[in-house]
Amino acid sequence: MTLAAVWFFIWALLWALYFMTDGLDLGIGVLHPWLARNETDRRILYHAAGPLWDGNEVWLLAAGGVTFAAFPRTYAVLFSAFHEALTLLVVALIVRGVSFEFRGKVGSDAARRACDACQFLGSGVASVLFGVAFANLFRGLAIVNGVHQGTFFSLLNPYGVAGGVFFLVVFMLHGALWLAVRTEGDLHTRAVRTAAILWPVVLAAVVAFLAYSAAATPLYRNYLTRPVLWVVPLLATVALIAARLFLAKGCAGWAWLASCAMIVAITLFGTIGMFPNMVPSTVDPATNSIVCFQAASSPLTLTIMLYVVAVLVPIILAYQSWAYRMFSHKIAPSEMIY
Amino acid sequence: VVIPLVSFRAMVGIGVAMLGLVALSWLQLRRLQDARWLLTVLVWFVPLPFVACNTGWILAEVGRQPWVVYGVMRTSDGLTAGLRTSQVGFSLIALTLAITAVATVAFFLIAQHARRGPDPVNQDPENRVSGERSRP
């Protein structure tokens, strides 16, 4: 029981870390048409995400892998229910990942424009799909005996779409803040201004999403029984306000870290609200919901994995923080390879 | 039985041929740039590892039918409940298109790279192996 609960929170934390890290480069990808005015700008945008994006996706593999190994039932139900959405997500991630690698090697301007289009569309589609997927988890799916009764289009219900837009603007703000860290001159000014414009949008989106969640989901049930948990959404709000204050003081790095804290807090807000459900069902929830205690692997598997995670996650965190520090200086034209 | 048999022989055959080619090239290392026939054969061997990889996959996938996990679960039992043909069709087509597109672009980039020849750094007259003379 306890072991499954511990794993539920490791699962939630891995997703939170994934959104915190990959949100940065997905956001930058979406910001391309707004921020990049010429070829140099575009190359700087690629370089701001370049050394980090594939390392960030390690967390996606970790989160997906943990779902598979720790909660096989959840994995089976979820991946089947999201079949089309996952296919689209994989294609979007392939297309944008490849655009990083190919852009510096293709010879013509037309091919570079095509890479830019792939980068923008892939990043945008992936951001929205993650939001849609998680909003639908918060809301619950029409699961009966482990089979999703709806289609891809039933995922695009108003709350699901709201989640998609919410993730998109949060990632865009996150990306704009990171660009403010890594750029100087005119591009830096525009990145800061974009972040300042996006901030009230994100604030409105957070308030709207929290309010909409109260109406459309059972997320607040856990918060009403354990009021101490309100710390988590409170932390998200404080972090968002801190991001604006740091931005106003010109501390883009701290503003970005505050945005990191906000993304983690928001993801945890939703997942804590779901506990112990992993895939809540909207059809007779008591019998059809996928609960972490039933979906979990054997205690032996969970124990072995706990040791593995306890060793590996700190190692990944350490080398990634090192990489982020390494690549947090202003980008110089001489170091650009893409 | 035919498919696993052919793909196993293709995989192992290509593997052995490649090992043989490596041995041959080692023996010829000093005169590698002058051995035109060997260089020609080497160029034709470029796509073969891909063929070997794929025949290996085909062997593994076809060879273990009707099991999806050998001796544990049959493929028919591993099928997702409630899966629709349209879903499988969509993902099959989407992924095939994406991977074909990426492979095509990659192929052209490799061809472009090969046509451009070795980097100027390697054209050091003392470095015989990868020097200009390797391009007849």
Side-chain angles (χ1 to χ4, degrees):
Chain A
M1 282 293 266
T2 328
L3 211 52
V6 167
W7 268 102
F8 181 92
F9 287 103
I10 295 174
W11 174 78
L13 190 66
L14 288 173
W15 278 110
L17 288 171
Y18 171 64
F19 293 138
M20 176 185 107
T21 52
D22 213 31
L24 169 161
D25 54 82
L26 290 171
I28 292 177
V30 177
L31 287 169
H32 262 261
W34 284 278
L35 278 175
R37 288 198 178 150
N38 51 44
E39 180 63 16
T40 316
D41 286 359
R42 269 187 287 276
R43 294 187 66 198
I44 290 177
L45 258 61
Y46 275 99
H47 281 83
L52 304 170
W53 72 272
D54 41 3
N56 295 345
E57 286 184 359
V58 164
W59 296 112
L60 178 60
L61 297 182
V66 158
T67 319
F68 174 72
F71 302 104
R73 174 100 180 121
T74 308
Y75 183 88
V77 171
L78 206 57
F79 277 43
S80 302
F82 288 162
H83 190 105
E84 295 93 337
L86 271 173
T87 308
L88 277 176
L89 178 68
V90 168
V91 171
L93 289 177
I94 289 176
V95 154
R96 75 179 285 275
V98 160
S99 74
F100 275 105
E101 302 300 329
F102 283 173
R103 195 181 189 279
K105 298 180 183 69
V106 293
S108 68
D109 273 344
R112 274 192 282 273
R113 288 301 84 76
C115 285
D116 295 340
C118 288
Q119 174 72 10
F120 170 70
L121 283 174
S123 306
V125 168
S127 307
V128 170
L129 282 175
F130 279 122
V132 170
F134 269 76
N136 276 288
L137 285 187
F138 297 160
R139 178 177 168 272
L141 293 160
I143 303 279
V144 177
N145 289 327
V147 178
H148 183 220
Q149 304 298 309
T151 64
F152 173 62
F153 295 102
S154 57
L155 301 178
L156 301 175
N157 53 70
Y159 183 74
V161 173
V165 175
F166 177 49
F167 269 49
L168 183 69
V169 291
V170 167
F171 288 171
M172 282 170 79
L173 175 66
H174 201 49
L177 289 172
W178 184 250
L179 279 177
V181 174
R182 297 229 54 196
T183 55
E184 48 195 351
D186 179 46
L187 188 55
H188 175 79
T189 318
R190 278 186 283 128
V192 170
R193 200 190 316 135
T194 308
I197 293 170
L198 281 169
W199 189 82
V201 179
V202 172
L203 180 69
V206 169
V207 173
F209 194 74
L210 289 180
Y212 200 174
S213 299
T217 74
L219 283 187
Y220 286 96
R221 204 190 38 211
N222 283 340
Y223 292 87
L224 294 176
T225 46
R226 286 204 177 72
V228 65
L229 292 173
W230 285 103
V231 166
V232 178
L234 188 70
L235 183 71
T237 323
V238 170
L240 184 59
I241 294 167
R244 186 69 188 92
L245 295 178
F246 283 127
L247 189 67
K249 281 175 75 181
C251 311
W254 285 102
W256 178 76
L257 284 173
S259 173
C260 286
M262 184 194 73
I263 293 178
V264 170
I266 284 184
T267 317
L268 290 182
F269 159 75
T271 37
I272 288 172
M274 284 164 70
F275 183 82
N277 289 323
M278 296 191 87
V279 191
S281 175
T282 50
V283 185
D284 193 7
T287 48
N288 284 318
S289 293
I290 308 297
V291 182
C292 72
F293 304 118
Q294 299 153 7
S297 298
S298 70
L300 180 64
T301 310
L302 293 182
T303 313
I304 294 171
M305 281 172 61
L306 203 57
Y307 287 119
V308 175
V309 163
V311 174
L312 285 184
V313 167
I315 292 177
I316 302 174
L317 278 176
Y319 81 66
Q320 287 213 341
S321 341
W322 176 76
Y324 272 79
R325 194 160 322 134
M326 185 94 176
F327 293 105
S328 60
H329 59 278
K330 306 286 181 192
I331 298 168
S334 59
E335 60 180 293
M336 298 209 285
I337 49 160
Y338 288 114
Chain B
V1 186
V2 175
I3 301 175
L5 190 75
V6 171
S7 54
F8 180 74
R9 294 195 171 169
M11 177 182 77
V12 174
I14 291 171
V16 171
M18 284 194 294
L19 278 176
L21 204 62
V22 169
L24 211 58
S25 308
W26 266 100
L27 292 173
Q28 298 269 328
L29 197 58
R30 285 178 177 282
R31 294 173 289 129
L32 195 58
Q33 290 122 36
D34 306 322
R36 244 194 105 90
W37 64 273
L38 187 59
L39 292 173
T40 316
V41 174
L42 279 169
V43 170
W44 284 103
F45 260 69
V46 169
L48 287 185
F50 297 96
V51 177
C53 275
N54 281 305
T55 47
W57 265 111
I58 292 168
L59 171 70
E61 296 300 316
V62 177
R64 70 180 146 86
Q65 297 303 328
W67 301 100
V68 67
V69 182
Y70 198 78
V72 178
M73 185 191 246
R74 281 176 178 274
T75 308
S76 51
D77 299 330
L79 189 71
T80 299
L83 190 70
R84 289 184 298 273
T85 318
S86 60
Q87 291 180 307
V88 188
F90 171 70
S91 50
L92 185 66
I93 292 169
L95 291 175
T96 308
L97 284 178
I99 290 168
T100 311
V102 172
T104 314
V105 178
F107 174 79
F108 279 108
L109 287 175
I110 293 170
Q112 191 187 52
H113 193 75
R115 224 175 290 129
R116 211 183 290 145
D119 287 342
V121 185
N122 291 339
Q123 292 183 349
D124 182 0
E126 285 178 13
N127 187 351
R128 276 196 48 149
V129 177
S130 52
E132 265 181 329
R133 288 185 58 195
S134 64
R135 279 190 296 161

